[in-house]
Amino acid sequence: MSVKVRFAPSPTGMLHVGNARTALMTWLFARSQGGRFLLRIDDTDPERSKVEYELAIEDSLMWLGLNWDEKANQKDRLARYQEQIAKLQEAGRIYPCYETPEELGLMRKTLLSRSKPPIYDRAALSLTDAQISKYEAEGRRPHWRFKLNHEPIEWNDHIRGEVKFNGGDLSDPVVIREDGSPLYHLCSVIDDIDFDITHIIRGEDHVSNTATHIQMFEALGAVPPEFAHNALISDAEGGKLSKRLGSLSIRDLREIEGLEAMAVSSLLARLGTSDPIEAYTSLEPLVESFALSKFSRASAKFDPAEIFRLNAKIIHDTPFEAVNVRLAEIGLPDLDEEFWDAVKANLEKISDIKDWWSVANGPVQPVIEEPDFIAQAATLLPEPPWSPETWSQWTSAVKEETGRKGKQLFMPLRQAITGMDHGPELDKLLLLIGPDKVKERLSTKKAA
Ligand code: GLU
């Protein structure tokens, strides 16, 4: 059987971490099975759906490297939905209801106050023609519900295992709004049938929807696809994601935090699985090791600090040719391979390199706490041309003259030359700064 999956975002906001994880899982599943990946935009709600969000979601998916083989917009398929709706109306599987939102809210409250589940009571099914005419005369327009069969609904979920519902324990879902526009549930099922979707991977917040969807597939004469519901992401302590984390979008991670796409994917692909979280520089190893069965039912703990840790590892493994265009984009077109190789081990994210570029090129405020020692060291500085050995030649000479060693020897030199007390290896940094600037910094008088 050839596999086909879809990722179905609603373009009502940016792509957030949780949805990106579902997209990634869906994509990895498709690629690991040699299957196809459909991007379906769930844009039947004209008020909340925005083209700019659709474009931003696509942009985020592309940045993550999640390419799609096919794309569909639900707003282009309204005529098709009407055809299928007509069939369900004819078969009596959807029925008109006239309750107002206020009436429904009240019914719900009453049931809950009696400790009863808030299941719709199907009062609409016993309306007389006279009552319907009265409602119509009042200007009420019906919304439509799908009539669930009161029978067991079961499926073998690729992540959750055996899942069982009873149709009688669920409310008949509303599938058409008062204005006649079809809602997510039915459109989604019609699309999944028409696009030959074999597996639906989505968040566990959709589990009870799936129970109703299975009956919709059957009512439309289709065999339901397979399902996998991934556990939602929680914070590092297992609690609900905070507002800040919950609203963290892929665009924020890219633009505000300056992170690598593969740091994000390396974490999201393994979160909540039995595989270790490791820094990868391409999606391939994640495709190769992907299996839905590795995902746990328990919520996946998300700690953004881990993305930064992975990001640093990825940067440390990145060769110059993979970053030179981006370095030019961040305003460092003259930065060369020697510079990149000297400082990359000190970067957590690529933009950190700007700090080291400033250290090398100035201006730098040298930190000189022991002016006599620095003055003495300055007299021992080897003459140019300098080589990779210059640093060790110089520090050996200083050691011999002053008797200093270890931190006492190196730290004051580092502080004088870079103005900082940590950073890249000084043998390399010395060459990047160059003889003129090193001399100048060593001879700087301590600020009064
Ligand atoms: N648009 C729905 C959502 O974002 C799609 C769910 C599904 O995958 O069916 O929740």
Side-chain angles (χ1 to χ4, degrees):
M1 179 185 75
S2 68
V3 158
K4 186 166 175 190
V5 291
R6 84 303 193 275
F7 173 59
S10 306
T12 53
M14 294 291 170
L15 184 68
H16 291 146
V17 172
N19 266 345
R21 175 167 174 256
T22 302
L24 180 62
M25 287 174 67
T26 309
W27 186 91
L28 289 171
F29 178 71
R31 297 296 172 248
S32 68
Q33 303 289 313
R36 290 177 66 74
F37 180 85
L38 163 76
L39 173 62
R40 187 184 86 197
I41 304 294
D42 285 2
D43 52 4
T44 51
D45 182 345
E47 264 158 45
R48 294 181 59 230
S49 303
K50 299 229 163 18
V51 174
E52 57 261 39
Y53 289 133
E54 179 178 339
L55 294 174
I57 291 169
E58 289 188 14
D59 186 55
S60 293
L61 291 173
M62 280 190 288
W63 180 65
L64 290 168
L66 310 183
N67 57 335
W68 48 97
D69 305 304
E70 229 176 292
K71 186 189 158 192
N73 285 68
Q74 289 195 324
K75 70 169 167 14
D76 299 336
R77 293 182 34 82
L78 298 176
R80 171 63 180 156
Y81 302 145
Q82 288 311 326
E83 265 172 41
Q84 294 290 63
I85 285 168
K87 280 191 206 158
L88 293 175
Q89 280 169 330
E90 217 164 287
R93 279 312 288 275
I94 56 177
Y95 60 95
C97 305
Y98 288 87
E99 293 89 353
T100 63
E102 294 72 34
E103 285 166 351
L104 288 172
L106 193 65
M107 279 184 210
R108 201 183 140 81
K109 255 197 192 153
T110 313
L111 287 169
L112 287 174
S113 71
R114 288 194 218 130
S115 308
K116 292 211 169 120
I119 298 173
Y120 176 63
D121 63 4
R122 292 186 164 174
L125 282 176
S126 37
L127 288 177
T128 61
D129 287 349
Q131 281 166 316
I132 291 178
S133 308
K134 188 172 158 272
Y135 283 142
E136 296 270 351
E138 281 171 16
R140 290 200 194 192
R141 291 285 161 266
H143 56 274
W144 294 70
R145 288 183 189 262
F146 179 78
K147 192 174 163 203
L148 290 168
N149 290 332
H150 289 180
E151 60 189 27
I153 308 168
E154 296 179 8
W155 74 92
N156 196 358
D157 195 284
H158 283 262
I159 295 176
R160 301 171 69 81
E162 282 294 326
V163 184
K164 289 185 186 158
F165 277 88
N166 201 312
D169 297 337
L170 299 165
S171 266
D172 290 341
V174 176
V175 290
I176 302 173
R177 292 188 194 88
E178 271 176 42
D179 65 6
S181 60
L183 280 159
Y184 156 72
H185 299 286
L186 202 48
C187 303
S188 178
V189 170
I190 295 170
D191 287 343
D192 289 331
I193 296 172
D194 287 356
F195 288 93
D196 300 318
I197 298 302
T198 60
H199 294 74
I200 294 180
I201 300 170
R202 59 186 170 199
E204 67 181 2
D205 47 333
H206 284 286
V207 170
S208 63
N209 287 339
T210 293
T212 68
H213 292 185
I214 284 176
Q215 288 204 3
M216 293 181 203
F217 278 101
E218 289 165 352
L220 289 165
V223 178
E226 313 245 331
F227 292 93
H229 293 87
N230 55 288
L232 301 185
I233 290 180
S234 65
D235 68 14
E237 279 78 48
K240 206 172 167 314
L241 278 195
S242 67
K243 223 171 167 204
R244 188 192 112 73
L245 278 187
S247 63
L248 197 60
S249 72
I250 297 300
R251 183 162 280 194
D252 290 342
L253 290 174
R254 175 189 185 179
E255 287 177 3
I256 304 176
E257 313 284 1
L259 293 167
E260 304 300 303
M262 276 312 304
V264 179
S265 297
S266 295
L267 179 63
L268 293 184
R270 293 281 172 86
L271 211 58
T273 74
S274 46
D275 282 339
I277 290 170
E278 288 170 289
Y280 290 106
T281 51
S282 88
L283 290 165
E284 260 149 59
L286 295 172
V287 171
E288 276 159 29
S289 58
F290 185 84
L292 286 171
S293 57
K294 291 180 178 173
F295 284 82
S296 157
R297 291 187 54 164
S299 71
K301 292 187 181 139
F302 173 68
D303 180 1
E306 273 201 275
I307 305 189
F308 285 92
R309 187 178 59 76
L310 293 166
N311 202 76
K313 278 205 178 154
I314 288 170
I315 297 262
H316 304 167
D317 286 345
T318 302
F320 179 67
E321 65 266 22
V323 286
N324 59 353
V325 173
R326 288 171 60 200
L327 292 170
E329 279 167 10
I330 60 172
L332 301 173
D334 300 329
L335 199 150
D336 61 11
E337 184 161 11
E338 186 194 355
F339 195 100
W340 175 253
D341 287 342
V343 306
K344 69 181 179 189
N346 288 79
L347 308 178
E348 197 174 61
K349 44 190 208 272
I350 200 167
S351 53
D352 296 345
I353 202 166
K354 288 185 182 168
D355 298 342
W356 298 113
W357 184 254
S358 309
V359 165
N361 297 292
V364 157
Q365 181 57 52
V367 174
I368 297 180
E369 284 175 353
E370 298 171 275
D372 296 344
F373 170 65
I374 294 300
Q376 198 178 2
T379 62
L380 297 166
L381 195 64
E383 283 304 317
W386 282 0
S387 75
E389 282 73 49
T390 300
W391 168 254
S392 71
Q393 288 160 357
W394 181 36
T395 48
S396 301
V398 178
K399 183 176 171 186
E400 208 157 291
E401 281 282 312
T402 63
R404 290 195 185 218
K405 53 182 189 207
K407 201 174 167 193
Q408 277 206 313
L409 168 66
F410 300 120
M411 187 56 91
L413 296 178
R414 179 183 284 283
Q415 289 175 333
I417 296 169
T418 68
M420 322 248 298
D421 50 17
H422 68 278
E425 303 284 346
L426 277 163
D427 53 348
K428 297 190 184 112
L429 206 48
L430 199 70
L431 300 178
L432 298 176
I433 300 169
D436 295 345
K437 282 196 214 80
V438 171
K439 256 186 217 154
E440 190 188 309
R441 292 177 194 177
L442 292 172
S443 61
T444 303
K445 295 281 166 283
K446 196 178 174 185

